[in-house]
Amino acid sequence: MKAVQPFDVLVVGKGNAALCAALSARDAGVTVAMLEAATVEESGGNSRFAGGVMRFAYSSVEDLQKIADIPEDEAKNTDWDSNTIEEFYDDLYRVTSFRTDPDLSEALITKSLEGMVWLRSQGASFVPNYGSQSAIVNGRRVFFGRFPLTANGGGAGLVEDLTKTAVKKGIEIFYETRAISLIYDGERVLGVRAKRQGKLGEFHARAVVLACGGFESNPEWRTRYLGPGWELAKVRGTRHNLGEGLRMALEIGACPYGNWSGRHAVSWERHAPEFGEVERSHDPYRHSYPLSIMINAEGKRFVDEGADFYNYTYAKYGAEVLKQTGQYAYQVFDAKTKPLLKQEYGGRNVTRFTGSTLEELAEKLEGVDPQGFLKTVREYNSAVRTEVPFNHAVRDGRGTAGIEPPKSNWANPLDTPPFEAYGVTCGITFTFGGLRINHESGQVLDLGYEPIPGLYAAGEMVGGIFYFNYPAGTGLVSGLVFGRIAGSGAAAAVQVTPARKKA
Ligand SMILES: Cc1cc2nc3c(=O)[nH]c(=O)nc-3n(C[C@H](O)[C@H](O)[C@H](O)COP(=O)(O)OP(=O)(O)OC[C@H]3O[C@@H](n4cnc5c(N)ncnc54)[C@H](O)[C@@H]3O)c2cc1C
């Protein structure tokens, strides 16, 4: 490979975290390049596949108007929900069973709103998420779930907007360039060895930001760290996040941190392809399960489908599906709830069975014990507390009594034909284990908790934020906040560090 000019800051990856790191380093006045393993067409990592919802702290519609154009009449006539700093803390601590790192979560939460405003200044654009996070209640539009805004064009739109800005600001992007190891002299990281279009080469830099994802796309690492069976999960996003950034950093003595056996994994179309497909990235979503009962091959329920809004349970329920016989389950609905299903349920490539009676559906359900299924439905139907009114825009408390597992909200007897069942398996989104970083500079710490000169990390590579579960919309905001921190941390270090001596 032809020698490449040294750069001040080299960013590995080209997802949201990498782009935020590169842009904030560039704005600090240093030269920046990015290495992307994928081709131009496939570039952008999981960020490109993301739905685009973003969970940041806000307390009023005025905060939202700093980020998106919301006309005054729309602002007044809508209930925008809220996600105050306190509410964000409560959610993050609750879903992570109080394991989230206090310093990292404080940075994430308290810098999230200013981060969104900065993102807008970098060319990203946001719109209200009417489609999937709001409903009309008593004639008024009401948001729920605490993330009323989404990136315009989803994650793909966000990556495209930030890439345009990066190119405009003179950031060089090397595609089809897979980093394979760090250049390290025992004291400082001095660059990256990479394979570019099949040829090995070196990229020298005064600081390196690793923002190249977790190990979700690597079946061998999934089995090693998440456990047996995880090699069978479908990958929801990119095929390029193989854990290489983590490996490179661990090889030079970086400190691992966080929930290495933890992951974000959801109920996903049963026959989805092995990896995500960017053009059809939404087709396999099956997030309407709180309105369903989910049954396994034995015909039994196995989770509280209505424990909370999907955005607080979906990231952990994929693992529950993976545990079932054959790694599949069905979400069963009747005609009453069908109009409330997200639009993907009506799309193409959907594993769907329909019956005009429950008995007919039971006979059709591939790989399910019909008698077990019918018994489950009978017990469930008679356990629903129908005296409590149904309201899908709030946690309505319309649950079940006397069955295990219970269904805590949105329970409706399955009694109105036609009945429908949707086949799902486990789709992994990303892994939680990562590196230990300094929350103020993004610098990677070594095994003795000392910063490694010249090495920074952001995005999925940061360990210690998510444990067991995840509040929806936090991945992109984590990439944003820690990408900015790492980019400006690396740039600041470069400005005070003498240039590399010639060997
Ligand atoms: C289907 C789906 C929907 C999602 N929806 C949302 C959502 O709505 N809201 C939300 O907040 N989060 C969502 N997420 C999660 C979110 O996308 C991720 O948490 C976030 O994008 C991670 O950003 P990142 O920059 O750390 O990693 P990525 O975006 O995955 O970027 C990693 C980059 O590193 C590159 N790379 C990997 N290895 C190498 C190497 N060795 N050398 C060079 N480059 C390399 C990859 O090609 C890629 O460009 C979703 C994820 C998926 C898969």
Side-chain angles (χ1 to χ4, degrees):
M1 194 183 95
K2 230 171 81 196
V4 182
Q5 290 272 333
F7 295 94
D8 290 327
V9 174
L10 195 61
V11 179
V12 183
K14 210 213 74 172
N16 172 57
L19 284 159
C20 291
L23 288 165
S24 50
R26 186 73 190 114
D27 284 352
V30 301
T31 61
V32 181
M34 304 180 79
L35 307 186
E36 163 62 298
T39 58
V40 178
E41 296 72 34
E42 259 195 305
S43 69
N46 277 343
S47 305
R48 174 112 176 271
F49 288 83
V53 294
M54 302 191 66
R55 182 178 297 265
F56 53 90
Y58 71 98
S59 48
S60 64
V61 68
E62 286 76 28
D63 284 342
L64 301 178
Q65 286 174 313
K66 294 176 194 161
I67 301 164
D69 292 330
I70 303 173
E72 276 313 317
D73 58 333
E74 210 171 304
K76 276 198 205 91
N77 297 326
T78 303
D79 176 349
W80 292 95
D81 200 1
S82 67
N83 189 35
T84 62
I85 285 186
E86 292 71 26
E87 286 167 337
F88 201 167
Y89 270 120
D90 283 350
D91 281 342
L92 186 59
Y93 273 73
R94 178 170 53 83
V95 304
T96 60
S97 301
F98 297 85
R99 294 270 189 168
T100 185
D101 179 287
D103 292 330
L104 294 175
S105 55
E106 184 180 342
L108 172 71
I109 291 168
T110 59
K111 292 180 193 296
S112 60
L113 178 59
E114 63 173 71
M116 291 296 292
V117 175
W118 175 85
L119 210 47
R120 188 186 204 188
S121 77
Q122 297 291 335
S125 96
F126 299 95
V127 290
N129 191 6
Y130 293 124
S132 77
Q133 286 306 129
S134 78
I136 303 290
V137 180
N138 301 328
R140 190 174 161 81
R141 182 161 298 275
V142 174
F143 278 93
F144 48 86
R146 295 189 176 143
F147 46 20
L149 299 187
T150 185
N152 201 355
L158 178 66
V159 167
E160 193 182 327
D161 290 342
L162 296 181
T163 303
K164 275 190 196 142
T165 310
V167 171
K168 220 184 284 166
K169 291 189 174 180
I171 294 170
E172 202 163 341
I173 305 173
F174 295 87
Y175 291 95
E176 295 175 69
T177 306
R178 183 174 291 279
I180 52 175
S181 62
L182 294 167
I183 305 171
Y184 179 57
D185 67 3
E187 277 174 38
R188 270 175 68 184
V189 170
L190 303 164
V192 160
R193 283 182 206 89
K195 207 159 188 189
R196 184 169 177 218
Q197 294 161 345
K199 294 209 169 65
L200 270 180
E202 293 193 347
F203 287 79
H204 295 277
R206 294 162 74 190
V208 171
V209 179
L210 293 175
C212 48
F215 59 88
E216 53 274 3
S217 318
N218 183 333
E220 196 261 346
W221 276 45
R222 289 204 302 271
T223 313
R224 197 186 321 177
Y225 293 108
L226 308 184
W230 279 95
E231 71 279 20
L232 303 173
K234 309 271 183 181
V235 177
R236 297 180 66 205
T238 177
R239 66 188 171 92
H240 291 286
N241 290 359
L242 295 156
E244 289 169 300
L246 294 168
R247 174 188 50 74
M248 281 181 252
L250 296 177
E251 274 169 6
I252 66 152
C255 187
Y257 190 39
N259 189 195
W260 273 74
S261 62
R263 71 282 121 186
H264 180 306
V266 305
S267 298
W268 194 241
E269 158 56 38
R270 182 173 173 190
H271 299 297
E274 183 182 4
F275 299 104
E277 295 178 310
V278 92
E279 302 308 330
R280 290 188 284 276
S281 65
H282 275 58
D283 288 4
Y285 280 46
R286 298 291 177 265
H287 290 348
S288 295
Y289 62 84
L291 301 169
S292 79
I293 62 165
M294 282 212 273
I295 54 111
N296 61 17
E298 290 77 34
K300 292 188 175 147
R301 292 178 54 247
F302 54 95
V303 289
D304 178 350
E305 303 87 345
D308 208 332
F309 288 117
Y310 86 87
N311 34 299
Y312 298 111
T313 58
Y314 78 131
K316 62 178 180 178
Y317 279 179
E320 298 306 316
V321 174
L322 192 80
K323 283 182 202 160
Q324 306 308 309
T325 307
Q327 304 85 43
Y328 60 84
Y330 286 91
Q331 301 175 356
V332 187
F333 305 89
D334 74 358
K336 297 195 297 301
T337 41
K338 171 120 200 233
L340 300 176
L341 299 194
K342 291 183 186 288
Q343 65 179 27
E344 304 82 54
Y345 285 75
R348 293 184 313 151
N349 305 320
V350 175
T351 302
R352 180 197 303 109
F353 294 95
T354 307
S356 51
T357 62
L358 285 163
E359 288 71 19
E360 184 190 338
L361 181 65
E363 286 309 322
K364 284 186 180 170
L365 278 185
E366 227 168 52
V368 173
D369 170 15
Q371 291 316 317
F373 167 64
L374 291 171
K375 179 168 180 281
T376 299
V377 176
R378 274 195 303 274
E379 288 169 1
Y380 166 78
N381 278 356
S382 54
V384 174
R385 296 174 54 216
T386 47
E387 69 281 10
V388 181
F390 170 76
N391 180 353
H392 74 115
V394 294
R395 293 179 189 92
D396 64 2
R398 181 175 157 118
T400 56
I403 54 167
E404 273 304 319
K407 184 171 178 188
S408 301
N409 294 287
W410 310 299
N412 275 307
L414 291 165
D415 58 10
T416 310
F419 302 96
E420 288 198 340
Y422 293 81
V424 291
T425 186
C426 169
I428 187 165
T429 320
F430 66 95
T431 46
F432 293 162
L435 304 176
R436 194 182 281 273
I437 63 159
N438 172 322
H439 65 278
E440 283 165 337
S441 64
Q443 202 163 359
V444 176
L445 305 185
D446 70 12
L447 296 171
Y449 294 7
E450 293 297 328
I452 300 177
L455 189 62
Y456 298 78
E460 291 179 3
M461 293 195 58
V462 175
I465 303 171
F466 306 119
Y467 289 79
F468 313 120
N469 194 8
Y470 158 102
T474 321
L476 290 172
V477 172
S478 168
L480 158 65
V481 168
F482 292 104
R484 282 184 80 199
I485 290 176
S488 52
V494 158
Q495 280 153 346
V496 296
T497 311
R500 175 178 173 262
K501 289 191 208 89
K502 285 251 179 305

